[in-house]
Amino acid sequence: MNDIERFDNLQNTVKVNPKNFQARRELIMLCLDLGFEKAALSHIKYLLKIFPDDANLYFNTGICWEKLKNYDNALIAYQKAVELKSDEPDFLYNLALCYEIKGEIEKAKEYFKKVIFYKNEDSNAFFSIGVLYSKQEDHKTAIKCFKKAIEYNYSDYFAHFWLAEEYKKTKQYDFALVEYRKVLELSPDYSWAYFNIAQIYWELNRVDDAVVMLEKTIEKNKKDYEAIKLLVQILIQKAEIEKALELLTKFSEENENGDIYYLMAKVFELMEDENSYHDCLELALENKSTLTFDVGAIKQELKEIENEK
């Protein structure tokens, strides 16, 4: 029996016998799995009239409202679930996440810590609180949290990635490289890890190694603008103009991007192709939504070219 058939059967069961509470509870969980949050809320409301102190019903109410992106109602529901059962890690974790979504970071940290108090090997809680410390630029504490997350769940490549990021931010590049490589062991297609390794190599003036990692990044994610931009800038610096132009041309055929057009303009400038240089500057300005270079400076550059004609 597939989920839809099971859904129909449960619907019929509670229709025939509204007081079949077990069937209604199963139906609530199936509604959540199928994305029928409003239907789930209706059945939860029915059961809450009979079981007003059922913490699980409030928890599932919170899940419904969270999926519907009504975080105020989700927060109220999770708070009620925790009020009724204050030592349940899942309730505390979702409440913490809801506080985080609403921007109440200290509250979120408080409840993630409570999760860890009751379930001290909860890797998700360590990871989540680590992210909050990272965003607050408390790198030392964030590193401790990510290490704990990895200790309890080594296969969590996101935890390895965030730990690597903290090491990178604090210029502990050797440690960062170790963690990025662990990310790639666990998830070989994770392009951001290749890109961040490339950035470190670039910072360390290991230019050829940076190029290899950037090429790998683009192989894994052909639309990684930042990787393409950095690679082109390196190729220009290395005077590999034709290779830079080939990369930019290939990308521009599939994507209109202001930054890419501007870099093409700079390549054509080096090649002394004035017409293509001019045309690409115009194309860059026509795609301002994807242009991160100084628009005013580009306009002035274009004006100077036109004045020289």
Side-chain angles (χ1 to χ4, degrees), residues 227-244:
I228 292 167
K229 283 163 56 179
L230 181 55
L231 179 54
V232 167
Q233 288 168 326
I234 292 173
L235 291 173
I236 290 172
Q237 181 177 309
K238 294 178 69 180
E240 296 183 26
I241 306 303
E242 294 294 336
K243 190 174 179 180

Side-chain angles (χ1 to χ4, degrees), residues 114-123 126 148 152:
K114 288 184 178 183
V115 175
I116 294 165
F117 177 80
Y118 289 110
K119 190 179 177 184
N120 56 22
E121 294 185 3
D122 192 307
S123 62
F126 277 113
K148 277 291 185 182
Y152 298 127

Side-chain angles (χ1 to χ4, degrees), residues 193-250:
Y194 289 110
F195 178 66
N196 286 354
I197 290 172
Q199 285 185 313
I200 290 174
Y201 285 152
W202 175 243
E203 185 76 17
L204 296 174
N205 203 32
R206 292 172 58 179
V207 178
D208 290 340
D209 290 331
V211 168
V212 171
M213 288 295 105
L214 288 167
E215 288 174 341
K216 196 71 176 176
T217 304
I218 296 164
E219 175 190 323
K220 299 297 182 182
N221 180 7
K222 291 179 171 54
K223 293 187 177 182
D224 191 322
Y225 304 146
E226 294 304 315
I228 292 167
K229 283 163 56 179
L230 181 55
L231 179 54
V232 167
Q233 288 168 326
I234 292 173
L235 291 173
I236 290 172
Q237 181 177 309
K238 294 178 69 180
E240 296 183 26
I241 306 303
E242 294 294 336
K243 190 174 179 180
L245 182 59
E246 181 183 350
L247 176 65
L248 290 166
T249 302
K250 183 178 179 181

Side-chain angles (χ1 to χ4, degrees), residues 5-18:
E5 290 171 337
R6 186 164 163 251
F7 175 79
D8 289 337
N9 282 343
L10 287 169
Q11 282 272 67
N12 289 332
T13 299
V14 298
K15 186 176 181 180
V16 172
N17 181 9

Side-chain angles (χ1 to χ4, degrees), residues 97-115:
L97 284 178
C98 205
Y99 276 124
E100 180 182 356
I101 290 168
K102 288 178 62 62
E104 298 185 46
I105 303 305
E106 294 307 315
K107 274 285 188 183
K109 284 161 61 178
E110 175 188 342
Y111 281 94
F112 282 131
K113 288 176 182 177
K114 288 184 178 183
V115 175

Side-chain angles (χ1 to χ4, degrees), residues 66-87:
E66 190 173 346
K67 287 188 172 185
L68 292 167
K69 301 190 184 303
N70 187 327
Y71 300 113
D72 289 336
N73 283 356
L75 184 65
I76 292 168
Y78 288 140
Q79 285 171 334
K80 184 64 176 178
V82 168
E83 177 186 323
L84 292 166
K85 197 172 183 181
S86 61
D87 61 349

